């Protein structure tokens, strides 16, 4: 099969004297983006090799696993824990209903009691698989949920390996690094090193959680360790105001832990980048507090000290608090440190991310990069998109540029927040004319019986002149799934 590649925005002409390589493409990193790029490139007829570090739930510089962050220590295990944490309030609601309808008198009350019993039977049945038991009291088994989580990521790790095998991609387990513009060195598990040549090299090594540089930082954990703790903490302190911090605050609180959340801004989540506007950020903060999470805005940590009672946490306001675990959710950094990129002069930015052009190509023509290692938009669906378009560009004869506009995202706090398109602030700043904002606030039906004062809010931002939807957001039960409909409106410029 004839293959064409992109040079300066144009497809190259066939070269009959092309040099021989071991592979048409060698990929370093078998996460979501790397696996997608490998499979699709192979479908276009390319001979593809890929390497990945050995599997383990907690990553390090020498441990990883096929499936990458999302599958092994990110989206998948996190959502399993979120689902597990969500059952706590559900079971509390069941106990409340059982007490409320323990002596039904009216026929309508009897029907409502029966319907609640049927619903809550399935809640309890599902809850057992997430570690919950409801007898005379509510009990939670953290180790059972942890085992279920581990079983699922092992299953998915195997599926990703089979996807590569079925596509004809050769998988090497070991650490890969670039030793030349067309050469990769793989250090195998036994320490032996093998070099492979490739016409194209794709780097898809993702990112890693970073720690705050304060005294006692070694006493803290990152999200990797938080997903695999041997024991569930009773007292948790979290540093950070991003999605990881908020999600773990919701998880641990839902499982009965005391949680203190410290962040630098007045409200959690960032105003820019993903389109979290002030109104939705305030809703999230209010919900977190309503669930019993202690918020500490405009506060950072200055020191951690190990004591007999636990970890003493010292803030920049001079406050002290005791914790069983301290989570640093202070951002992630690209995995480029051990790739040997300086040897071939691949350009990096100040964060260590690989610089690429609009086609995901580095300054070295034969080397490309996709996903979190480029620090463009660090979301799994984006890495998948970049991997697909890389394959089409380099091996499919279809030059494609990733489009980063109107990409939806969700924060899996409890209840979740989801957004797509522009925030209200972004729309006002970017719009040429007036902007209309529509909001709807209501009490979810499941809260009408429990009495929980937690409102769902939905928001649309619309161009006043054209009536086009510029952005949408929602915070409430099932927001991530419901927002899928709004994505169509925003991406395809449908009218409100």
């Amino acid at each position: 099969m004839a293959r064409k590649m992109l040079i300066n925005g144009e497809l190259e002409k066939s070269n009959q004297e092309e040099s021989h390589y071991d592979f048409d493409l060698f990929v370093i990193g078998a996460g979501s983006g790397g696996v997608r790029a490998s499979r699709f490139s192979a479908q276009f007829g390319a001979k593809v090799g890929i390497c990945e570090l050995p599997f383990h739930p907690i990553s390090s510089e020498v441990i990883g696993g096929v499936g990458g962050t999302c599958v092994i220590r990110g989206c998948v295990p996190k959502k399993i824990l979120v689902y597990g944490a969500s059952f706590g309030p559900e079971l509390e609601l069941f106990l409340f209903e059982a007490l409320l309808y323990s002596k039904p008198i009216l026929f309508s009350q009897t029907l409502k009691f029966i319907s609640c019993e049927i619903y809550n039977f399935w809640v309890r049945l599902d809850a057992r698989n997430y570690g919950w038991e409801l007898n005379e009291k509510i009990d939670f088994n953290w180790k059972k949920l942890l085992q279920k989580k581990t079983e699922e990521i092992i299953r998915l790790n195997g599926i990703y390996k089979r996807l590569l095998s079925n596509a004809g991609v050769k998988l090497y387990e070991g650490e890969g690094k670039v030793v030349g513009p067309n050469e990769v060195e793989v250090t195998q598990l036994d320490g032996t090193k093998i070099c492979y040549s490739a016409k194209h090299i794709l780097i898809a090594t993702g990112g890693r959680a970073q720690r705050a540089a304060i005294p006692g930082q070694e006493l803290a954990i990152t999200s990797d360790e938080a997903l695999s703790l041997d024991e569930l903490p009773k007292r948790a302190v979290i540093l950070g105001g991003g999605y990881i911090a908020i999600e773990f605050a919701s998880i641990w609180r839902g499982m009965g832990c005391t949680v203190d959340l410290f962040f630098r801004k007045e409200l959690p989540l960032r105003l820019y980048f993903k389109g979290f506007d002030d109104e939705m950020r305030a809703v999230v903060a209010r919900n977190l507090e309503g669930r019993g999470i202690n918020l500490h805005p405009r506060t950072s940590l200055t020191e951690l000290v190990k004591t007999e009672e636990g970890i003493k946490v010292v803030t920049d306001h001079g406050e002290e608090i005791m914790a069983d675990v301290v989570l640093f959710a202070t951002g992630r950094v690209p995995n480029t440190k051990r790739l040997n990129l300086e040897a071939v002069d691949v350009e990096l930015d100040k964060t260590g991310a690989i610089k690429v052009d609009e086609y995901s190509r580095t300054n070295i023509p034969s080397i490309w990069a996709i996903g979190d290692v480029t620090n463009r938009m660090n979301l799994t669906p984006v890495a998948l998109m970049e991997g697909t378009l890389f394959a089409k560009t380099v091996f499919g004869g279809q030059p494609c540029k990733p489009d980063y506009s109107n990409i939806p995202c969700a924060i899996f706090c409890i209840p979740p927040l989801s957004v797509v398109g522009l925030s209200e602030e972004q729309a006002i700043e970017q719009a040429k004319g007036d902007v209309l904002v529509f909001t709807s606030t209501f009490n979810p039906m499941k809260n009408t019986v429990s009495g929980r004062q937690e409102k769902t809010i939905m928001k649309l931002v619309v161009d006043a002149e054209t009536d086009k939807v510029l952005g949408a957001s929602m915070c409430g039960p099932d927001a991530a799934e419901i927002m899928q409909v709004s994505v169509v409106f925003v991406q395809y410029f449908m009218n409100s």
Side-chain angles (χ1 to χ4, degrees):
M1 175 182 290
R3 301 185 184 90
K4 297 181 180 181
M5 64 173 287
L6 195 76
I7 293 184
N8 297 326
E10 297 181 358
L11 290 175
E12 70 169 347
K13 297 180 180 179
S14 298
N15 184 357
Q16 300 298 328
E17 299 179 356
E18 185 175 294
S19 300
H20 173 74
Y21 298 98
D22 295 326
F23 294 97
D24 298 311
L25 171 66
F26 198 96
V27 182
I28 303 177
S32 299
V35 169
R36 173 65 64 87
S38 300
R39 292 174 52 225
F40 278 46
S41 295
Q43 289 174 10
F44 284 120
K47 183 180 180 182
V48 183
I50 188 171
C51 68
E52 177 55 70
L53 297 168
F55 170 84
H56 194 277
I58 302 175
S59 71
S60 72
E61 292 183 339
V62 294
I63 294 175
V66 176
T69 298
C70 179
V71 169
I72 300 173
R73 60 195 69 87
C75 321
V76 172
K78 171 196 69 182
K79 289 182 71 174
I80 290 174
L81 297 191
V82 169
Y83 293 148
S86 300
F87 280 109
E90 292 278 355
L91 294 175
E92 289 177 357
L93 174 61
F94 169 76
L95 288 180
F96 177 85
E97 290 171 340
L99 178 63
L100 184 64
Y101 299 114
S102 59
K103 297 179 179 179
I105 300 174
L106 299 178
F107 180 69
S108 60
Q109 289 179 315
T110 303
L111 288 179
K112 189 169 185 179
F113 175 69
I114 293 173
S115 66
C116 287
E117 280 289 286
I118 294 173
Y119 168 74
N120 285 303
F121 168 78
W122 291 109
V123 170
R124 296 198 305 275
L125 190 63
D126 285 344
R128 288 194 181 98
N129 289 323
Y130 284 91
W132 294 92
E133 289 291 342
L134 179 60
N135 299 307
E136 294 181 356
K137 63 177 183 176
I138 300 173
D139 292 315
F140 176 64
N141 187 331
W142 165 253
K143 291 186 181 297
K144 181 177 181 179
L145 177 58
L146 207 62
Q147 179 61 33
K148 291 286 186 179
K149 181 269 298 182
T150 301
E151 291 173 358
E152 178 60 11
I153 63 176
I154 290 174
R155 184 185 74 86
L156 293 174
N157 174 256
I159 288 176
Y160 269 64
K161 287 182 177 179
R162 288 195 294 274
L163 287 173
L164 290 171
S165 177
N166 292 341
V169 177
K170 178 64 176 178
L171 171 63
Y172 298 92
E173 194 169 42
E175 181 179 15
K177 68 178 182 179
V178 180
V179 293
N182 299 95
E183 191 172 11
V184 172
E185 179 186 271
V186 178
T187 302
Q188 302 181 108
L189 301 185
D190 62 2
T192 59
K193 299 180 179 180
I194 303 178
C195 289
Y196 300 97
S197 61
K199 183 178 180 183
H200 301 284
I201 296 171
L202 176 65
I203 300 171
T205 49
R208 180 178 292 114
Q210 65 178 349
R211 296 172 180 269
I214 63 173
Q217 61 175 286
E218 70 279 0
L219 300 175
I221 63 172
T222 69
S223 56
D224 287 359
E225 295 87 1
L227 291 165
S228 301
L229 289 174
D230 291 333
E231 300 291 338
L232 183 67
K234 294 181 180 179
R235 305 165 298 176
V237 165
I238 301 174
L239 176 62
Y243 66 95
I244 293 176
I246 291 172
E247 289 168 346
F248 273 101
S250 293
I251 289 169
W252 284 334
R253 183 58 194 148
M255 295 172 180
C257 308
T258 298
V259 179
D260 287 86
L261 179 62
F262 295 82
F263 46 95
R264 293 178 297 176
K265 302 296 184 181
E266 182 64 30
L267 293 169
L269 299 175
R270 289 187 288 176
L271 181 61
Y272 52 94
F273 182 51
K274 292 187 176 72
F276 302 128
D277 64 32
D278 279 339
E279 184 173 13
M280 303 308 293
R281 295 166 70 207
V283 170
V284 170
R286 188 163 58 247
N287 289 343
L288 294 174
E289 287 188 305
R291 296 265 173 169
I293 297 169
N294 303 313
L295 302 187
H296 303 265
R298 295 181 176 176
T299 307
S300 190
L301 307 186
T302 58
E303 185 180 13
L304 304 180
V305 181
K306 186 175 180 60
T307 71
E308 292 183 357
E309 292 77 26
I311 302 173
K312 182 173 71 173
V313 178
V314 183
T315 76
D316 55 0
H317 299 315
E319 300 170 309
E320 295 182 359
I321 187 171
M322 297 302 300
D324 301 311
V325 66
V326 177
L327 169 64
F328 283 167
T330 49
R332 299 178 65 83
V333 293
N335 274 329
T336 55
K337 184 178 179 181
R338 296 169 63 94
L339 291 174
N340 196 43
L341 297 177
E342 66 280 357
V344 288
D345 297 323
V346 171
E347 292 183 358
L348 308 178
D349 67 15
K350 62 182 181 180
T351 69
I354 299 176
K355 291 183 177 181
V356 293
D357 65 13
E358 54 193 353
Y359 293 98
S360 297
R361 194 178 204 169
T362 73
N363 60 304
I364 306 300
S366 58
I367 300 177
W368 310 68
I370 61 171
D372 292 5
V373 75
T374 65
N375 200 30
R376 287 177 284 185
M377 186 171 283
N378 299 338
L379 297 170
T380 298
V382 173
L384 293 172
M385 172 184 68
E386 291 171 353
T388 300
L389 299 185
F390 161 82
K392 288 183 176 181
T393 295
V394 180
F395 298 107
Q398 309 169 54
C400 301
K401 304 176 185 179
D403 180 3
Y404 299 100
S405 61
N406 299 324
I407 293 176
C409 70
I411 309 299
F412 290 96
C413 45
I414 302 175
L417 166 69
S418 58
V419 302
V420 63
L422 302 180
S423 67
E424 179 180 346
E425 289 83 359
Q426 289 172 327
I428 292 173
E429 180 180 340
Q430 298 179 25
K432 297 180 180 179
D434 292 335
V435 172
L436 301 177
V437 178
F438 301 92
T439 61
S440 176
T441 303
F442 56 91
N443 196 28
M445 183 174 291
K446 64 165 58 176
N447 291 351
T448 58
V449 172
S450 67
R452 182 184 294 278
Q453 298 302 307
E454 192 173 76
K455 303 292 186 180
T456 288
I457 180 169
M458 304 181 73
K459 186 172 187 177
L460 282 180
V461 181
V462 179
D463 185 293
E465 182 178 353
T466 63
D467 211 27
K468 292 178 179 177
V469 178
L470 303 176
S473 53
M474 176 180 177
C475 187
D478 303 315
E481 286 72 24
I482 295 172
M483 186 55 64
Q484 299 285 349
V485 177
S486 297
V487 172
V488 177
F489 282 84
V490 175
Q491 290 186 342
Y492 294 96
F493 302 101
M494 295 179 68
N495 291 341
S496 60

